[in-house]
Amino acid sequence: MAKEGVEKAEETEQMIEKEAGKEPAEGGGGGSHRLGDAQEMRAVVLAGFGGLNKLRVTRKAMPEPQDSELKIRVKACGLNFIDLMVRQGNIDNPPKTPLVPGFECSGIVEALGDSVKGYEIGDRVMAFVNYNAWAEVVCTPVEFVYKIPDDMSFSEAAAFPVNFVTAYMMLFEVANLREGMSVLVHSAGGGVGQAVAQLCSTIPNVTVFGTASTFKHEAIKESMTHLFDRNADYVQEVKRISPEGVDIVLDCLCGDNTGKGLSLLKPLGTYILYGSSNMVTGETKSFFSFAKSWWQVEKVNPIKLYEENKVIAGFSLLNLLFKQGRAGLIRGVVDKLIGLYNHKKIKPVVDSLWALEEVKEAMQRIHDRGNIGKLILDVEKTPTPLMANDSTETSEAGEEEEDHEGDSENKERMPFIQ
């Protein structure tokens, strides 16, 4: 049960609409709609696992906060590579469909569930959500919600939780990054890669090696000490510069990069696997890609690790939060990260903003590895007409998959530079 009455809810909604610079919605594109006593909202729905045609924007019943939950009027949502894998059903124990994807968002607190303390209606927040983030309204337990600084935009806040917490946990909690150490990070132009680079810059004399697509090098070269093409023989390039190798390897690719990463570790070095994007090659789940990636992973021999003084680890932020009950640990990390943000030491890199109706094109951009930093779903953004023609609920579930060969021109319409 929510604490506020109907009058308070309407007052809050008017405040939110005013904050957004527009009049309360009356049935157009955004905002909530009343059908009798029920309120509805727009949300991205995954109808079934598979290609981009499984995504659509539709209306759903608006959730209300349960005990210890907050109701958030969403302003922006983050897109992550794990969202592609969820769409394909390319994860362990996938949830049942239909579902609303998304694991992080930012917005304004609209209602408080019973026993919630420390928050007020109108607070600007960012949050982790166990699915359901890609919607106009979400409800999530208070332990996953964090107030954001006054000068942090909603798009920055939506780009903050997954990327920076993942980077911080791997560098400082798992690998114990210290002065004078060296780090190799794959997908250096992505959201986590850029967060890793910024956090490394807070420690003196840290050398950062990065791999990324060549076309990204000019944009990210200042954030890396050494930058290599993702398709080049980076092992030889790293050893040419640092014959002993590196102290930390952060691998989101998996496959044959596991063996390469382990071969580059110095004694007492740490290899951390935090993703497996090499398993995603086409628009839908590929058993061949999965089998190839699994086959290429070097089979780790504990005796060899013992003899070579090397450490191998894995990190999954979502499992740590939602399955292993470490929300308290993560809150402490978020507090430290917000402190770094307030001191101008770190700042989320936002690649582009997309309307909910443009979710297919946004996901294609991630699939093509075209982003530098984070892609954001801006809930209040008006879709570009050429891009929103298929993401709304206007066709049958069995529609044919789209041809995305001509998307590149449209994608370039969405740059967001801070």
Side-chain angles (χ1 to χ4, degrees), residues 253-311:
L253 304 177
C254 198
D256 61 352
N257 291 281
T258 300
K260 293 177 180 179
L262 286 171
S263 73
L264 280 172
L265 284 183
K266 294 179 180 179
L268 303 182
T270 303
Y271 164 94
I272 305 173
L273 181 69
Y274 70 101
S276 53
S277 64
N278 277 348
M279 293 184 184
V280 178
T281 53
E283 187 178 326
T284 57
K285 183 177 180 178
S286 168
F287 176 77
F288 174 78
S289 297
F290 176 85
K292 179 182 177 182
S293 185
W294 181 86
W295 180 260
Q296 289 177 332
V297 173
E298 180 169 310
K299 306 308 179 281
V300 178
N301 183 341
I303 299 299
K304 188 175 181 181
L305 293 176
Y306 153 73
E307 292 174 344
E308 296 182 353
N309 285 299
K310 294 181 178 180
V311 177

Side-chain angles (χ1 to χ4, degrees), residues 1 24 66 69 94 117 120 152 155 164 175 196 201 243 247 259 270 287 290 309 359 362 373 377 393 404:
M1 292 291 294
Q66 303 301 308
E69 288 187 343
K117 297 180 180 179
E120 297 180 354
M152 180 181 282
S155 59
F164 275 95
V196 165
S201 71
D247 297 292
T270 303
F287 176 77
F290 176 85
N309 285 299
V359 63
L377 290 179
E393 191 178 18
H404 292 278

Side-chain angles (χ1 to χ4, degrees), residues 349-404:
V349 177
V350 176
D351 173 81
S352 48
L353 303 180
W354 306 75
L356 289 181
E357 291 78 9
E358 297 164 345
V359 63
K360 295 180 183 179
E361 290 78 11
M363 293 195 92
Q364 184 65 38
R365 183 168 174 83
I366 295 180
H367 182 276
D368 294 340
R369 278 72 166 177
N371 57 299
I372 297 174
K374 189 79 161 221
L375 278 77
I376 298 295
L377 290 179
D378 184 340
V379 175
E380 297 177 343
K381 183 181 182 298
T382 301
T384 303
L386 290 175
M387 304 180 78
N389 56 359
D390 255 339
S391 292
T392 50
E393 191 178 18
T394 58
S395 56
E396 299 298 325
E399 66 185 327
E400 294 183 1
E401 294 185 1
E402 298 170 279
D403 179 358
H404 292 278

Side-chain angles (χ1 to χ4, degrees), residues 20-314:
K22 62 183 181 182
E23 295 298 318
E26 289 187 21
S32 60
H33 291 243
R34 285 187 181 275
L35 294 178
D37 291 331
Q39 280 193 303
E40 290 191 331
M41 64 176 183
R42 290 158 57 235
V44 176
V45 173
L46 179 66
F49 299 119
L52 293 166
N53 66 315
K54 299 296 185 181
L55 292 164
R56 66 178 184 270
V57 175
T58 186
R59 293 198 172 276
K60 290 175 59 69
M62 185 181 297
E64 293 300 329
Q66 303 301 308
D67 185 37
S68 300
E69 288 187 343
L70 283 80
K71 179 181 179 181
I72 300 171
R73 175 67 61 168
V74 177
K75 297 292 187 178
C77 323
L79 277 80
N80 299 286
F81 204 89
I82 185 66
D83 297 313
L84 270 73
M85 301 187 74
V86 168
R87 191 199 76 218
Q88 294 184 352
N90 208 355
I91 58 173
D92 285 335
N93 300 314
K96 293 182 179 180
T97 56
L99 62 86
V100 176
F103 297 102
E104 61 184 338
C105 65
S106 63
I108 299 173
V109 175
E110 188 172 86
L112 307 173
D114 292 338
S115 76
V116 171
K117 297 180 180 179
Y119 292 88
E120 297 180 354
I121 294 171
D123 281 346
R124 302 171 72 249
V125 296
M126 58 187 174
F128 291 109
V129 188
N130 194 8
Y131 294 98
N132 297 308
W134 294 357
E136 290 182 312
V137 174
V138 302
C139 292
T140 194
V142 64
E143 61 187 339
F144 303 137
V145 181
Y146 318 91
K147 294 179 182 179
I148 62 176
D150 292 338
D151 61 344
M152 180 181 282
S153 68
F154 286 116
S155 59
E156 283 184 326
F160 199 87
V162 169
N163 289 350
F164 275 95
V165 172
T166 295
Y168 186 98
M169 290 293 297
M170 291 192 299
L171 289 172
F172 298 106
E173 296 291 334
V174 181
N176 193 22
L177 178 66
R178 301 183 302 281
E179 180 176 355
M181 295 179 74
S182 54
V183 179
L184 169 65
V185 58
H186 293 297
S187 299
V192 173
Q194 286 296 288
V196 165
Q198 291 185 31
L199 289 172
C200 285
S201 71
T202 67
I203 305 298
N205 196 30
V206 172
T207 302
V208 183
F209 298 89
T211 69
S213 301
T214 304
F215 75 90
K216 298 183 181 183
H217 286 198
E218 184 63 29
I220 67 173
K221 63 182 181 181
E222 297 301 323
S223 65
M224 301 284 151
T225 314
H226 304 285
L227 194 54
F228 311 118
D229 177 35
R230 68 189 301 266
N231 297 313
D233 185 359
Y234 63 85
V235 173
Q236 293 305 314
E237 291 294 320
V238 171
K239 287 188 174 180
R240 181 179 58 82
I241 298 168
S242 177
E244 275 195 291
V246 298
D247 297 292
I248 301 169
V249 174
L250 304 179
D251 181 11
C252 60
L253 304 177
C254 198
D256 61 352
N257 291 281
T258 300
K260 293 177 180 179
L262 286 171
S263 73
L264 280 172
L265 284 183
K266 294 179 180 179
L268 303 182
T270 303
Y271 164 94
I272 305 173
L273 181 69
Y274 70 101
S276 53
S277 64
N278 277 348
M279 293 184 184
V280 178
T281 53
E283 187 178 326
T284 57
K285 183 177 180 178
S286 168
F287 176 77
F288 174 78
S289 297
F290 176 85
K292 179 182 177 182
S293 185
W294 181 86
W295 180 260
Q296 289 177 332
V297 173
E298 180 169 310
K299 306 308 179 281
V300 178
N301 183 341
I303 299 299
K304 188 175 181 181
L305 293 176
Y306 153 73
E307 292 174 344
E308 296 182 353
N309 285 299
K310 294 181 178 180
V311 177
I312 185 168

Side-chain angles (χ1 to χ4, degrees), residues 2-14 34 37 39 64 71 110-111 121:
K3 290 180 180 178
E4 85 290 9
V6 174
E7 296 86 356
K8 191 68 175 178
E10 292 177 349
E11 177 184 346
T12 302
E13 187 165 332
Q14 290 174 4
R34 285 187 181 275
D37 291 331
Q39 280 193 303
E64 293 300 329
K71 179 181 179 181
E110 188 172 86
I121 294 171

